[in-house]
Amino acid sequence: MAKRDETVTYDGPAGGWGSLRGIAEIAGKEGVSAGAMATLLEQNKPGGFACVSCAWTKRANHKAVEFCENGAKATLWELTSRKATLDVFARHTLADLRGFSDHDLEQLGRLTHPLRYDSRSDRYIPCSWDEAFAEIGKELRAMEPKKTVFYTSGRASLETSYCWALFARAYGHNNLPDSSNMCHETTSVTLKKVIGSPVGTVVLDDFDHCDALFFFGQNTGTNSPRFLHQLQAAVRRGCKIVTFNPVRERGLESMINPQEPTAMVSGHETALSCQYHQVKPGGDIAVLLGLCKHVLAADDAARADDRQIIDHAFIAEHTTGFEAFEARLRSLDWSDIEEVSGVTRAAIEAAGTVYVEAENAIGIYGMGLTQHMHGFENIATYVNLLLMKGNIGRKGAGISPVRGHSNVQGQRTVGIAEKPELVPLDRLAELFDFAPPREKGMNTVEACEAILKGEVSAFISLGGNFLRAVPEQRAMEEAWPRMRLTVQIATKLNRSHLINGEIAYLLPCLGRSEMDLLTGKPQVVSMEDSLSCVHGSVGKRTPASKDLKSEIEIVSRLAEATLPPNPNMPWGNWARDTAAVRDLIEKTYPDEFRDFNARLFTPGGFYRGHPARERQWKTESGKAEFVTPEMLSATGYQTAPERFTLITLRSNDQFNTTIYGYSDRLRGIEGKRDVLLINPGEIDRLGLAVGERVTVVCDAEDDIDRRVTGLEIMPFDLPDGCVAGYYPELNPLVPLSHHDRASKTPAYKSVPVRIKRNGEARLSFPGADKPSS
Ligand SMILES: Nc1nc2c(c(=O)[nH]1)N[C@H]1C(S)=C(S)[C@@H](COP(=O)(O)OP(=O)(O)OC[C@H]3O[C@@H](n4cnc5c(=O)[nH]c(N)nc54)[C@H](O)[C@@H]3O)O[C@H]1N2
Ligand SMILES: Nc1nc2c(c(=O)[nH]1)N[C@H]1C(S)=C(S)[C@@H](COP(=O)(O)OP(=O)(O)OC[C@H]3O[C@@H](n4cnc5c(=O)[nH]c(N)nc54)[C@H](O)[C@@H]3O)O[C@H]1N2
Ligand SMILES: [Mo]
């Protein structure tokens, strides 16, 4: 019988020697040269290149080494000596390649040559760049623009993104879904509504002045490890960290800083969270309401002797909606809060006391709050908690979403948006002398719906792995070939490149760490990080192949081949001179990008500014808005006997759909990804055995059969009623209709499922079960 202390765990800290071993392993596996290793030292420094991994900010007073385990892995993945050369595509049909796992596809190495799909042989065959641009342009010219979709994954630079969005609008649509539609779109919608700006309010310096940090659903040790330095420094100063997460993530419990030799030698760990509460998935609205209720009770008590906890003056001057929210808090029963959250009143009050006692508090969050049907209410209630004590718009305080891809926030800033009201269309019309389309375009979920209905003729993808990242994977893969044209601009092969429209191209591009030498001198690009700082980036390495083009050149050539000539849009010049694009960005967004080119290499980046930080609320009411959530659970569905809530997780050895390897070191899971994590009590209650293979079936209330077979039962410390497994292998289980009601971000963190015994022995997804190399 499995007991709680037999769960799979990792007792070591985050960082430490384990992280250095992680880097060495990938360097060996990718056959990385000494020169490429040396390139790592130029990462995240002025004059160097911005890390391609997470969006955490780069500090001004940088150290000799400014990369982390996962940043190094991402760069070495790009600088691999492996190449997916033409003979790979001559050897394998696409049907063959569809049998490869995500890991094995990308292990083939960097794409080296533009490719066109040949349906007769079911192979990719080489083509010339000119041929590719000409045919894609011809096809697009013949299509109805509003039936085409231009997707972006959050890596492309500000310059490329600006050109991409301009291309879409000049062609005639706003169909610009972005990976952020699957990620922090909930943030963009909620924060815009409640504080008037779609991004976090915190700057790096605030971490030196806060007394408490709250963590809801963000896994720093794996997904933004450079942030651990700020956390370590804050804890050493006496700041308290309180975490709410169904999974006990090691990176939030303790760390060893690999940049501190004495700590490395002594093994001295810094404990990070002083309280760690294993909330049920989707239980955060209840927890946050409980915390607010505790603040209210503390304020009632304080007012009896003429003190106050709530910042009543701030609420009166700066907010709306507090009365309704207060009434809701007073009428709430603790028993309901406890039931939905799975956290006891005493535990919530203990966390609430840390908040009450902190002069300045910061609220941090990630996918654990955004990817639910009621993600909007998760974030809005979090902001309510901060507003109650005036913790927005002052030093050491604020709301801090931790973004994903390295430029995902910036892409939105420079116009990649399906919502025309977010873009200064009049200014674009004036600058470029054209009539931008004014109708709302499709976001990711809407693009999927349209593709499923057969209403999309072309899908052009600037990076990413759309078909593997989206919900409803089976049906999406079936519907995809009904499109006339699919084009993928990418660095490495992935599953989205193997399922094609009638006409299909795979166009290989430079990675960010590589030199763009179109004009002989290296071009510069730029990105915006999670804390709204903009950084310049210059590639340093010789490109993986002479046949690669920069993303901005590919986008410009596509635009040139598609659009009628317009003297105000000299596409050819822009790829040769990214500084000219920065001037256009400055003209389009003069407040944010003043003196863009001059400030490009400001150490630590230049700050784009944030109205809510100055307590200017650009909301409908002109004030910060309290929202009163009606529901307590964010899952959006009822509990039912034998219905489990599935969380899809990232391992420490992956970047989204890129699987570097099979070691989830910080969770103690080694050598496999075909697992279903579940607590020992639940294993016993269901009469299952550790190691048994099961089938997991989606339990959404519709009649679509969504299942994954062959998952191995693994005992893991999780709340009752909840199971966890890996993204993207479990994406066939996620219903497209389950998304945040306000932003349409898919509910990847609370999928209703049932577990069936007698699962087949192998994972039903091709090749995804076992490492083969
Ligand atoms: N190495 C690496 N770095 C990455 C990425 C990567 O894949 N690998 N991906 C990048 C991208 S695009 C993104 S968006 C970010 C993602 O970074 P995160 O925002 O950290 O996203 P996840 O790892 O998906 O999930 C975060 C945490 O939410 C918890 N969680 C799940 N459900 C709930 C819930 O209902 N409530 C609460 N409170 N917690 C919950 C999970 O246990 C997990 O610890 O990281 C970026 N950085
Ligand atoms: N179940 C589940 N699904 C999820 C999530 C989840 O937590 N659970 N998370 C969601 C989130 S937060 C996100 S952001 C999405 C991610 O969705 P995407 O952003 O679409 O996916 P990635 O895996 O980041 O894309 C990887 C591919 O990008 C290409 N690439 C890498 N670097 C470059 C480059 O410099 N240029 C170009 N052109 N291509 C490049 C490579 O070909 C690589 O195979 O997935 C979402 N899907
Ligand atoms: Mo993301």
Side-chain angles (χ1 to χ4, degrees), residues 52 77-78 106 111 151-155 179-180 182-184 367 371 405 461-466 468-470 489-494 497 509-512 551 648-650 655-658 727-728 730-731 734 748-749:
V52 292
W77 171 92
E78 190 170 287
E106 298 212 16
L111 296 165
Y151 172 69
T152 337
S153 163
R155 221 176 249 201
S179 59
S180 87
M182 297 180 253
C183 180
H184 269 291
M367 298 299 98
Q371 295 175 334
H405 274 296
S461 201
L462 179 58
N465 189 358
F466 189 79
R468 202 72 174 111
V470 296
I489 302 164
T491 50
K492 283 197 181 175
L493 193 65
N494 65 46
H497 309 153
C509 66
L510 295 172
R512 192 183 295 160
E551 291 183 326
T648 55
L649 292 173
R650 297 169 152 75
F655 190 93
N656 297 339
T657 69
T658 294
Y727 145 60
L730 299 188
N731 282 36
V734 187
Y748 295 120
K749 295 292 184 270

Side-chain angles (χ1 to χ4, degrees), residues 668-687:
I669 303 171
E670 296 292 338
K672 50 188 148 193
R673 294 176 56 85
D674 54 342
V675 290
L676 187 70
L677 310 179
I678 174 169
N679 82 41
E682 295 285 53
I683 295 180
D684 290 344
R685 190 173 65 77
L686 297 179

Side-chain angles (χ1 to χ4, degrees), residues 327-385:
R328 170 89 166 115
L329 293 178
R330 293 200 187 277
S331 68
L332 257 180
D333 274 340
W334 275 105
S335 58
D336 293 335
I337 293 175
E338 288 184 318
E339 190 186 321
V340 174
S341 67
V343 185
T344 62
R345 173 177 179 172
I348 295 174
E349 287 181 336
T353 301
V354 171
Y355 182 70
V356 164
E357 287 173 356
E359 198 172 317
N360 301 310
I362 292 177
I364 293 153
Y365 68 93
M367 298 299 98
L369 290 196
T370 64
Q371 295 175 334
H372 291 283
M373 287 225 253
H374 296 300
F376 173 88
E377 285 79 2
N378 270 337
I379 298 169
T381 316
Y382 207 2
V383 170
N384 289 351
L385 174 69

Side-chain angles (χ1 to χ4, degrees), residues 153-200:
S153 163
R155 221 176 249 201
S157 65
L158 291 170
E159 293 79 1
T160 306
S161 303
Y162 181 85
C163 290
W164 180 246
L166 182 64
F167 172 26
R169 297 197 166 96
Y171 175 49
H173 67 76
N174 286 305
N175 296 333
L176 288 160
D178 178 291
S179 59
S180 87
N181 290 144
M182 297 180 253
C183 180
H184 269 291
E185 189 63 19
T186 329
T187 295
S188 307
V189 169
T190 313
L191 292 187
K192 177 82 187 95
K193 165 92 178 106
V194 300
I195 59 167
S197 171
V199 300

Side-chain angles (χ1 to χ4, degrees), residues 92-105 495 498 762 765-770 772:
H92 296 289
T93 61
L94 264 56
D96 246 4
L97 290 167
R98 284 196 293 272
F100 283 39
S101 67
D102 298 302
H103 171 266
D104 293 354
L105 284 176
R495 190 164 174 96
L498 303 175
R762 289 177 64 83
F765 205 85
D769 52 350
K770 282 284 169 290
S772 67

